[in-house]
Amino acid sequence: MLQDLIRQRTNGIVLYGITPPKAQNTPEKIAEIAATQVERIRSLGVDGLVLYDIQDEADRTSEARPFPFIETLDPVMYAAEHLASLDLPKITYRCTAKYSPESFTAYLQAQQQGLAVFVGAASRQQRVTLTMNDAYALRQQHSPGLLLGGVAIPERHLVKQDEHLRVVAKMAQGCSYFITQCVYNVEAAKTFLSDYYYHCREHGIDMVPIIFTITPCGSVKTLQFMKWLGISIPKWLENDLSHSVDILGDSLNACRSIFAELIEYAASKQIPIGCNVESVAIRKDEIEASLQLVRDVQAMLGR
């Protein structure tokens, strides 16, 4: 079970991440999408499925959003009602800032087991009805059996140099694992891992798994969207992908190279890491690329 792998701080956890269907879809279309996803994911052999809770991040930047924001189904509801036949642990994200304390408490009372990742506000400008600290306290009070994870953002570490301290603070509030934002800057990820390792070693803290997210990029517009989301892409790599005649293939190669380097670095210090292959595109070639990336990652980990 994924819960056991996390609690035992196991190295090499592999996850597959998706976004629930758009809420505007008809019930028939949602059922069709779910059936396709179940069939696609069932044979992957991953340890768990990640379901994102999408929020509009327009407050985070003044730049225009490359793709319009469209509300998606609630990940907890989608997992329970449409993916129940998929016998796989499901990690559901919860954007805490958009819930009231009452609605969040009701959610927790219905989630006595399982896995979740709490996500805070997208920016300081976003109106918040529930802080992360409040969400952690409510979880401890109403659903201590919910195995809690947090979000780590390696590129933020380049600027503020305190992401490892954020992670350790969240560990003290009950987080047993972390899933990163999509990584395209391996130097940022390694620097974060280094500070995390040495801080934990110095203070006698047992490290928890850091699960790095990687995802294929199939178009220049997707590349622009990734940058809009705050994903750090080195200029040389952005140039190469922007001018590539096979951007999807080249991005796959970049993802493989990044994770291979992270495996090597983490192994030298016995840091438990894993991989979350994110598939949030609707184009068939990008979806197929994400499935291939899962297989490649599993091979790298000797699975």
Side-chain angles (χ1 to χ4, degrees):
M1 290 292 290
L2 178 57
Q3 288 93 328
D4 295 333
L5 295 177
I6 290 171
R7 290 190 179 101
Q8 294 164 9
R9 299 179 171 85
T10 305
N11 186 66
I13 292 171
V14 179
L15 307 173
Y16 189 67
I18 63 172
T19 300
K22 302 293 187 289
Q24 65 188 19
N25 284 320
T26 64
E28 293 77 17
K29 182 62 175 178
I30 291 170
E32 177 187 332
I33 293 170
T36 300
Q37 289 177 332
V38 168
E39 185 63 27
R40 182 184 296 141
I41 297 166
R42 180 175 283 140
S43 61
L44 274 181
V46 293
D47 298 305
L49 177 68
V50 175
L51 289 152
Y52 296 111
D53 188 13
I54 303 300
Q55 60 182 330
D56 188 358
E57 300 186 27
D59 290 339
R60 188 180 46 77
T61 176
S62 60
E63 295 181 15
R65 201 179 199 274
F67 294 101
F69 172 75
I70 302 175
E71 196 76 38
T72 59
L73 294 177
D74 178 270
V76 175
M77 181 276 291
Y78 184 62
E81 297 184 10
H82 298 279
L83 301 180
S85 63
L86 184 61
D87 186 20
L88 199 64
K90 300 169 183 72
I91 300 174
T92 52
Y93 272 48
R94 209 68 174 171
C95 297
T96 62
K98 64 181 183 180
Y99 296 98
S100 68
E102 294 76 18
S103 63
F104 200 77
T105 296
Y107 147 74
L108 289 170
Q109 290 172 338
Q111 299 292 313
Q112 294 301 309
Q113 300 295 326
L115 304 102
V117 170
F118 292 173
V119 183
S123 73
R124 292 181 178 179
Q125 288 70 43
Q126 183 178 346
R127 182 176 176 271
V128 173
T129 54
L130 184 73
T131 68
M132 284 290 284
N133 286 337
D134 290 340
Y136 288 139
L138 288 172
R139 172 257 175 186
Q140 184 59 43
Q141 179 182 353
H142 297 285
S143 185
L146 183 67
L147 192 59
L148 184 62
V151 173
I153 305 178
E155 42 267 84
R156 184 165 62 189
H157 194 67
L158 288 179
V159 179
K160 299 188 175 182
Q161 299 182 16
D162 66 350
E163 194 64 18
H164 63 300
L165 300 180
R166 292 170 184 258
V167 163
V168 170
K170 290 178 181 179
M171 288 163 59
Q173 291 179 293
C175 288
S176 300
Y177 60 100
F178 291 85
I179 300 177
T180 74
Q181 181 172 273
C182 178
V183 171
Y184 264 84
N185 187 328
V186 71
E187 289 303 314
K190 286 171 67 176
T191 300
F192 157 68
L193 274 185
S194 173
D195 286 339
Y196 172 63
Y197 168 75
Y198 286 110
H199 179 87
C200 289
R201 190 180 75 169
E202 180 181 349
H203 293 86
I205 299 170
D206 291 330
M207 293 179 291
V208 302
I210 307 293
I211 301 170
F212 288 96
T213 297
I214 54 176
T215 185
C217 173
S219 70
V220 172
K221 190 170 184 180
T222 299
L223 186 66
Q224 293 169 345
F225 185 51
M226 289 164 62
K227 289 185 63 181
W228 185 89
L229 288 170
I231 296 169
S232 172
I233 303 171
K235 184 59 178 178
W236 68 267
L237 182 55
E238 181 185 350
N239 284 341
D240 285 356
L241 293 176
S242 297
H243 295 87
S244 174
V245 296
D246 180 16
I247 186 172
L248 186 57
D250 287 344
S251 77
L252 273 175
N253 288 335
C255 288
R256 294 186 193 103
S257 176
I258 287 166
F259 192 63
E261 193 166 336
L262 290 174
I263 290 174
E264 182 179 5
Y265 184 77
S268 69
K269 293 175 168 54
Q270 295 185 307
I271 308 170
I273 71 165
C275 186
N276 171 43
V277 176
E278 185 179 277
S279 175
V280 295
I282 59 174
R283 287 173 42 186
K284 185 176 180 181
D285 60 342
E286 289 184 275
I287 294 171
E288 291 298 324
S290 72
L291 301 177
Q292 182 59 50
L293 190 53
V294 170
R295 292 188 282 268
D296 294 339
V297 164
Q298 289 169 327
M300 288 181 201
L301 293 168
R303 296 178 48 160

